[in-house]
Each structure stands twice: as structure tokens, then as C-alpha cells.
């Protein structure tokens, strides 16, 4: 009887055969004209300009041979070109169901803990709940590659079945492009060890290593699949658009198809990025949500290109312009999705959530380079099809703002790309002691220094473009559309500047910014909020006008009119909601200009055990610290066991040790703001702080008398051969430490606390608390004598505290982005003109 690994491997081979068959049938069934078009991609005409006629004859000879092979193949199979094309299409359709079988086999192995599978051993264990075993399919490189390919095969199946009538004569090229993409990924799965999910041990292992503890988070069930959908689905609008250009038939009716797929991919990629920020904020314990990490940037770059692509399509549809831009941007978007995959999987550029170095990196980057050069050639050879009949009549018109937006998006991606590859490129050159160049890795401050001003400018353009008119300059519509939002924005900017400098800024003792003086960051923060108010005012104005007209004509209520204008003009008014969500996100980002971080230490004393043979080691502090209007009091600290629900507590391989620290948070009454650079906070205990009272009056909610619980968890490392703990030379189990921060939110700011390392002041060293507790829990049977003899009587605990303003606006913007995105692209709410 075949094992699960053998069944999975056979299924992968069948997939490879199906894809190769579809590719060959698609290649042979191409019309002669399209064969010639594809051969021109060799760019020989550019390399041999003087012998252009010889190159064309060379092409013709190849096409003749190609036609001959096609004819003989069809005679052997007793089919014609149309039947061959249909077989190629059916091969890709059937391929989805075979791929689903392969993925199901891997899911079954994860569920039943099949330890003959190398993948299951590496990324799952008995101690994981079913929820996390299912998500383990994308926890490792080979499983996630199979899941990636499953999504690709589904979208290929969907577009070839659902949109087959609309594609018509473009189907041959669509099939050829999609099958070539399939061929790439199935080749990586078949021929490269790091891509093979069904590798098998000669003998089953005793246990699994388990999943990376950082992935044990609720967002892991939705964040990676949503991000993958955004990445993978961009292959569809790319294939559709390129096939239309190659066939020389880009009709107006196809633009809706391009737009629908472009919106779909853009929405899932953007929402996946935002969910990733939420995961990073809640799980990584560093007080932030975006670190300009290479993997983060890998998803941001195609998202920016995809955003520009959607705007170019809007201009192409309305003004028959930006055809060149649209083709260039979809080519860039697709290939940057592949580049993001390479960055994540090659291991060339390290990041906190990228995979280790993989052998699929070299073939993948070779494919990306060849594919990009191949398809960019259409910008030259099809230039006569890409010439716009219309031209921009005024730079301050709506199409002018879209053009400027495209330039800013491209510039942003170039800057981010340089930053991503900065650790590999010696671009920092000087003439000190001769000409020398060095590799200098970009830090988050470097990215912020360049990207924040560009982001503010893009926000301004985003606010202006809905108010502008096609063809007309901004002066023609100033009184009607721009004057009122502009004045509201100016007044809002001044009011916020007053609040900022008199009620917010005095509580944050920052001394510099990425741009040097802190005042620059202050100005950028105020501009962001002010421009955001302008954008919101413009959106409200547009809704108000539409609702007022509809209420007069249809006698509807305010709510009915709002719903109806969304239904009847989904693209326009749903798009306004997308803009609103981005404005809210930007205002949330602006809070980072006065985000503050504190590192404090609390002293703890060992307390009597709570009960006989207590599994908890109990420390108590009572120390207080005063930070930005808050009193944070250290309370209990427990060293305790933590087990997954289905784990055996008597087996050490399932023991996770938790360093659980409790704090109580209250508003500071009559106490000043204390910063890390100031001296002992207790000396100010009786001084009044009138600013604090004003802040509390302005706040939407006051954090009062709340308990915060933050942890460090020490996860066991399992030896799969024996099923036992991997132990140190002195016999204690090796453990992986992760952070579990605690966050309390109000509408003005978050208090974010993460407990750190423990220090023993009497022995002047950091004790191995996890090993002590393991010894106490299992070997010493939790005896009272061991409780007092083993653990330090007094300890000092490092604690990091962040005050993060406006964080709720980020998650509010994320939620609104999700709702607005659904409104914009869901077919059932789209109303045809």
C-alpha cells in the first residue's frame, strides 16, 4: 500500500505532466501570426539593426519549422489546432483538482501527525491544536509553495472557465502565459529539495519540532492566505493584458475585466499587508507595526505598482490615455510579486519573517529576469498600439494628477528597492583615503526620512483628484469643488497645530527626528493630519451633493440615499470610502512622530508559594513608574507552566514556561511627565500638572485602573529522532524565547508593555529561570524546600513600555479598507452603466 508521501509525490508528478502537456499544446496550437509575434521577443531586431531583413527571414524559418512540428503532432494525435487548444485549456482546468488533491494529502498528514513526512516533522507536533496544524501548511517553504501553487491553479481554472467567452481570440496567449507560470512553480516543487513537500524519512520520527512560536497567533489563519491571494492573482490581469497586446486587439470592453481582476488582487494584497501589521504589533513585542523589513517591503512594492495600475486604467477608460503606463505597470506589478517571492524564499536578504536560504532562489531570480526582459519588449515592438489618441490638456486636470501619482509611485518603489538591496550593494562611496565604496544597510529612519515626504504629497494628490475634472484645469472648478474643503483643511491644520504644540508635544521629550531637528517631524505630523482633514472634507462634500440630489428626486431618507448611491455608482463612491480608509491610516501613521519608548526596571521579592506543591513561582514588586500621565505599578510576577489544550502535562516536551508579569495602570494625578532622560521620578510626586487635566478632558477615553499581563514564553525544542527535549551539555532543555506583549488602547493612544529579562542582583548575573523551573517542576516535584533554595530571593526585571498615539485609527482604517474594498470589487454590487 502506498504511503501518504508516495501518493503526494505521484500527484505532483501528474501535475507536472498536465502542465507540460498544456504548455506544449498551447505552444503548438498558436496561430502563425502569434508565433511570429512571440519570436520577435528575442529582440534580435534591436541587436542586428543593419541586418533586419535577415533577422525576419530567420524568424520565418523558425515559424516554418514550428508549423511543421505542429502539423505532424496533430496528425499523430489525430486532432486539429482548435482541439489542441481545447486540450491545453482542459489540462489547466483539471490541474486545479489534481493540485487540490496534493494539498489535501499534505493537510491530512498534518492532521494525523504523519512523522514519516519531513515537512510534518519540521513544522507540526502533537502539542499543536487542529487549528494550527491546518495553518502549518504555509509555515514552511515547501508547504507554502504548494499552497501558493494551489491558489494559482484555482485562479487559472476560474479565468479559463468563467471568462472564456469574453477572452475569445486571446485564449491561446492566455493559456501559454499561464501554463508557463505553472511550469515555473511546478518545476520548483518537482526538482528542488526546498520546494518538495512530500520528502520522506526512511523510518518515522518520534515527534515533530512544532511550529515557530511567533506563528501561533489568530492572524496566521487569515494573513498568509490573504497575502498569497493578492500576490498570486496578479498573474491573471497580467496574462489577460499581455495577451490582448500580443493579439493586437485591446477592446474597450476588456477594460472592465482588467479592472475587476486588478481590484481583486490589489484589495487582497493591501488587506494582507494591513493584517500583517496587526500581527507584528500584537505578537512580536517590539512596540511597532512596520519596520521596513525586506519581506514587508516585498509586498509593499507591488501594492504601490498595483495602485498606480488601477489609476492608469481609470484614465484609459475615461480618456483613452495611459495605455503605455497601464501595460508597463501591470508588467512591473506581476514581476515585483515574483521578486517579493524571491526575497522571501531565497534567503539572500534576511528578515525576521523570511524563510531560510533556499535552493529555489537562483532558478526563480533567473526566471524573473528573463520574463521581465521578454515582456518589457512589448513596450517597444507594440509602441504603435500604445500611442494615445488623446493628450493631457492641463497638468492640473484629473488625468494630470493621476500622471503625477504614477511618477510618485514609481519613485517610491525605486527608493524602497534600493533600501531593500542596500545590504548587498556597495553604493555608499567616498574619496576619503582614495575612492572607496561600502555596503550600508538602510535603517527604518532612513526609509522614513525619504518616504514620509513622498507619502504626504501622495496623500494631497489623493485628496485633490476626486475634486478635479477631466481635461479642465483646477482654476475652473476651484469655487465649486475645492474651495470649501481647502478652507476646512487649513482651519483643521491650525487647530491641530495648536492642540499638538500646547497639549500633546509637551508630554513627549523627543530631541531629534530622521530629518534632524524634531520640529521637522512635528511639521510633517501636522501636515499629515491637516491634509487628511482636507481629504475627508472633500469626500464628505461629494457624498453630500449626491445624497442631496437623490433625496430631492427620490424622496428617500438619508440612509437610503447613502446606500443607493453606493449601489448605483460602486466604483466612484466605494472608491471614496477606500480613500477615507487610507486617510485614517495616514493620520494613524502621523502618531509615530511623538511615539515614545521607555526602558525601566522593577525590583521583585520572592513570595511564599500560593499552595503546597504550587506550579507557580510567585514574586511581588509594588514599584511604580510615572510615564506621560500614567502611573504603572508592578504587581505579581509568576513563573508558571503553559500547556496547549491537548498536551500531556507530565511530558517535558510539552512544557512551555511562562514568565508572566502583571501591572496596574492608572492616570497619574498631580504628577509631571517623566522621561527616560530625567532623574528619579519620585522627587516630583507633589508637583501639579495642569496640562494633564487638559489632556484628560480632550481624550475620548481615559485608561484607568486596568491590569496588564505580559509574558515571555520559553518553548521547548524537540529532537525528532528520540521525541525528547534537545538538552544542553549540563542536561537542561533548550528553549526558544518569544514575547507576548500586553496592549491597552484608548482613542488617543496605546500603552504597550513587554516584560524582558530577569537579573539576579546578588549573584550579579542573569539566572536561567526556564531551566530552574523545569528542574523544580519535574525533578524536584515542586517541593517547598526547593521553592526557596532554587529561586533568587530578589530579582530585577527589565520592562519596555511604549506610548503609541493614534493606534486605534490604524485598525479603524484597516477595517474600513476591508469594507470599502468589498464594496468596490464585489460583482453582486456592481451596477452597469
Amino acid at each position: 500500500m502506498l504511503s501518504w508521501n508516495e501518493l503526494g509525490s505521484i500527484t505532483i508528478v501528474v501535475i507536472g505532466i498536465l502542465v507540460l502537456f498544456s504548455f506544449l499544446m498551447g505552444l503548438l496550437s498558436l496561430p502563425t501570426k502569434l508565433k511570429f509575434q512571440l519570436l520577435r521577443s528575442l529582440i534580435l531586431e534591436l541587436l542586428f539593426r543593419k541586418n533586419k531583413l535577415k533577422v525576419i527571414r530567420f524568424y520565418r524559418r523558425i515559424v516554418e519549422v514550428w508549423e511543421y512540428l505542429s502539423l505532424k503532432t496533430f496528425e499523430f494525435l489525430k486532432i486539429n489546432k482548435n482541439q489542441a487548444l481545447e486540450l491545453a485549456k482542459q489540462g489547466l482546468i483539471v490541474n486545479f483538482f489534481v493540485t487540490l488533491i496534493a494539498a489535501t494529502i499534505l493537510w491530512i498528514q498534518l492532521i494525523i501527525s504523519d512523522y514519516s513526512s519531513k515537512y510534518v516533522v519540521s513544522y507540526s507536533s502533537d502539542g499543536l491544536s487542529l487549528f494550527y496544524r491546518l495553518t502549518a501548511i504555509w509555515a514552511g517553504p515547501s508547504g507554502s509553495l504548494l499552497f501558493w501553487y494551489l491558489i494559482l491553479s484555482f485562479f487559472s481554472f476560474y479565468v479559463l472557465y468563467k471568462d472564456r467567452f469574453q477572452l475569445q481570440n486571446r485564449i491561446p496567449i492566455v493559456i501559454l502565459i499561464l501554463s508557463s507560470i505553472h511550469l515555473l512553480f511546478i518545476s520548483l516543487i518537482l526538482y528542488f529539495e526546498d520546494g518538495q513537500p512530500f520528502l520522506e524519512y526512511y523510518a518515522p520520527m518520534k515527534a515533530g519540532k512544532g511550529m515557530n512560536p511567533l506563528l501561533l497567533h489568530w492572524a496566521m489563519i487569515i494573513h498568509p492566505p490573504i497575502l498569497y491571494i493578492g500576490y498570486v492573482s496578479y498573474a491573471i490581469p497580467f496574462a489577460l493584458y499581455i495577451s490582448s497586446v500580443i493579439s493586437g486587439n485591446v477592446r474597450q470592453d476588456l477594460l472592465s475585466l482588467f479592472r475587476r481582476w486588478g481590484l481583486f488582487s490589489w484589495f487582497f494584497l493591501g488587506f494582507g499587508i494591513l493584517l500583517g501589521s496587526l500581527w507584528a504589533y500584537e505578537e512580536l513585542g517590539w512596540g511597532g507595526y512596520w519596520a521596513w523589513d525586506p519581506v514587508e517591503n516585498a509586498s509593499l512594492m507591488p501594492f504601490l505598482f498595483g495602485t498606480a495600475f488601477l489609476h492608469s486604467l481609470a484614465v484609459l477608460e475615461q480618456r483613452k490615455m495611459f495605455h503605455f503606463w497601464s501595460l508597463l505597470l501591470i508588467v512591473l506589478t506581476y514581476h515585483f510579486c515574483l521578486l517579493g517571492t524571491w526575497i522571501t524564499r531565497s534567503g539572500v536578504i534576511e528578515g525576521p519573517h523570511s524563510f531560510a536560504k533556499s535552493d529555489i532562489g537562483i532558478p526563480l531570480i533567473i526566471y524573473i529576469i528573463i520574463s521581465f526582459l521578454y515582456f518589457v519588449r512589448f513596450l517597444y515592438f507594440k509602441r504603435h498600439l500604445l500611442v494615445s489618441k488623446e493628450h493631457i490638456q492641463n497638468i492640473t486636470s484629473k488625468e494630470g494628477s493621476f500622471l503625477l501619482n504614477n511618477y510618485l509611485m514609481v519613485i517610491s518603489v525605486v527608493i524602497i528597492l534600493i533600501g531593500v538591496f542596500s545590504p548587498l550593494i556597495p553604493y555608499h562611496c567616498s574619496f576619503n583615503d582614495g575612492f572607496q565604496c561600502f555596503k550600508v544597510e538602510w535603517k527604518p529612519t532612513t526609509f522614513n526620512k525619504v518616504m514620509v515626504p513622498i507619502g504626504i504629497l501622495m496623500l494631497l494628490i489623493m485628496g485633490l483628484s476626486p475634486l478635479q475634472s477631466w481635461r479642465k484645469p483646477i482654476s475652473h472648478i476651484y469655487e465649486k469643488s475645492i474651495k470649501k474643503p481647502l478652507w476646512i483643511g487649513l482651519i483643521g491644520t491650525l487647530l491641530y497645530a495648536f492642540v499638538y504644540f500646547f497639549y500633546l508635544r509637551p508630554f513627549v521629550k523627543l530631541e531629534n527626528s530622521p530629518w534632524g531637528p524634531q520640529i521637522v517631524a512635528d511639521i510633517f505630523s501636522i501636515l499629515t493630519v491637516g491634509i487628511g482633514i482636507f481629504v475627508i472634507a472633500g469626500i464628505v462634500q461629494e457624498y453630500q451633493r449626491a445624497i442631496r440630489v437623490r433625496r430631492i428626486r427620490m424622496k428617500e431618507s438619508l440612509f437610503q440615499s447613502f446606500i443607493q448611491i453606493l449601489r448605483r455608482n460602486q466604483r466612484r463612491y466605494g472608491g471614496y470610502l477606500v480613500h477615507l480608509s487610507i486617510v485614517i491610516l495616514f493620520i494613524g501613521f502621523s502618531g509615530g512622530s511623538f511615539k515614545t519608548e521607555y526602558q525601566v526596571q522593577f525590583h521583585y521579592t520572592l513570595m511564599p508559594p500560593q499552595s503546597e506543591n504550587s506550579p507557580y513561582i510567585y514574586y511581588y514588586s509594588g514599584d511604580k513608574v510615572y510615564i506621560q500621565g500614567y502611573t504603572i505599578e508592578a504587581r505579581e510576577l509568576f513563573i508558571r507552566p503553559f500547556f496547549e489544550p491537548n498536551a500531556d502535562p507530565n511530558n517535558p516536551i510539552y512544557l512551555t514556561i511562562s514568565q508572566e508579569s502583571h501591572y496596574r495602570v492608572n492616570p497619574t494625578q498631580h504628577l509631571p511627565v517623566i522621561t527616560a532622560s530625567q532623574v528619579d521620578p519620585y522627587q516630583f510626586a507633589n508637583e501639579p500638572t495642569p496640562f494633564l487635566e487638559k489632556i484628560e478632558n480632550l481624550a475620548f477615553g481615559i485608561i484607568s485602573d486596568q491590569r496588564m499581563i505580559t509574558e515571555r514564553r520559553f518553548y521547548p525544542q524537540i529532537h525528532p529522532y528520540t521525541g525528547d527535549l534537545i538538552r544542553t551539555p549540563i542536561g537542561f532543555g533548550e528553549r526558544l524565547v518569544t514575547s507576548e506583549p500586553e496592549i491597552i488602547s484608548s482613542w488617543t493612544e496605546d500603552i504597550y508593555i513587554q516584560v524582558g529579562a530577569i537579573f539576579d542582583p546578588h549573584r550579579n548575573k542573569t539566572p536561567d529561570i526556564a531551566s530552574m523551573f523545569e528542574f523544580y517542576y519535574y525533578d524536584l516535584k515542586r517541593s517547598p524546600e526547593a521553592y526557596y533554595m532554587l529561586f533568587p530571593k530578589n530579582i530585577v526585571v527589565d520592562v519596555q513600555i511604549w506610548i503609541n498615539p493614534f493606534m486605534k485609527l490604524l485598525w479603524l482604517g484597516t477595517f474600513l479598507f476591508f469594507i470599502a474594498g468589498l464594496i468596490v470589487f464585489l460583482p453582486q454590487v456592481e451596477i452597469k452603466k
Side-chain angles (χ1 to χ4, degrees), residues 540-552:
V540 171
Q541 176 182 269
E542 294 298 299
Y543 269 103
Q544 182 185 20
R545 289 175 175 174
I547 291 172
R548 183 174 67 248
V549 171
R550 185 165 183 87
R551 291 188 70 188
I552 293 172

Side-chain angles (χ1 to χ4, degrees), residues 676-694:
S677 62
Q678 291 177 300
V679 292
D680 183 8
Y682 300 101
Q683 64 178 302
F684 298 102
N686 298 315
E687 294 187 13
T689 307
F691 286 126
L692 179 62
E693 297 174 4
K694 297 176 183 178

Side-chain angles (χ1 to χ4, degrees), residues 581 584-585 747 807-817:
S581 70
I584 294 173
L585 288 169
W747 281 107
M807 288 303 301
K808 270 199 172 181
L809 293 181
L810 285 180
W811 317 133
L812 175 63
T814 299
F815 176 75
L816 184 57
F817 182 91

Side-chain angles (χ1 to χ4, degrees), residues 437-454:
C437 294
F438 304 94
K439 300 174 184 178
V440 179
E441 182 179 359
W442 282 28
K443 301 299 182 184
T445 52
T446 308
F447 281 104
N448 290 334
K449 185 176 183 178
V450 182
M451 291 303 301
V452 167
I454 296 176

Side-chain angles (χ1 to χ4, degrees), residues 772-789:
M772 289 180 179
F773 185 83
E774 178 193 341
F775 187 56
Y776 166 79
Y777 192 83
Y778 287 111
D779 297 273
L780 300 180
K781 308 298 182 184
R782 304 187 293 278
S783 70
E785 294 81 6
Y787 184 96
Y788 287 107
M789 294 180 63

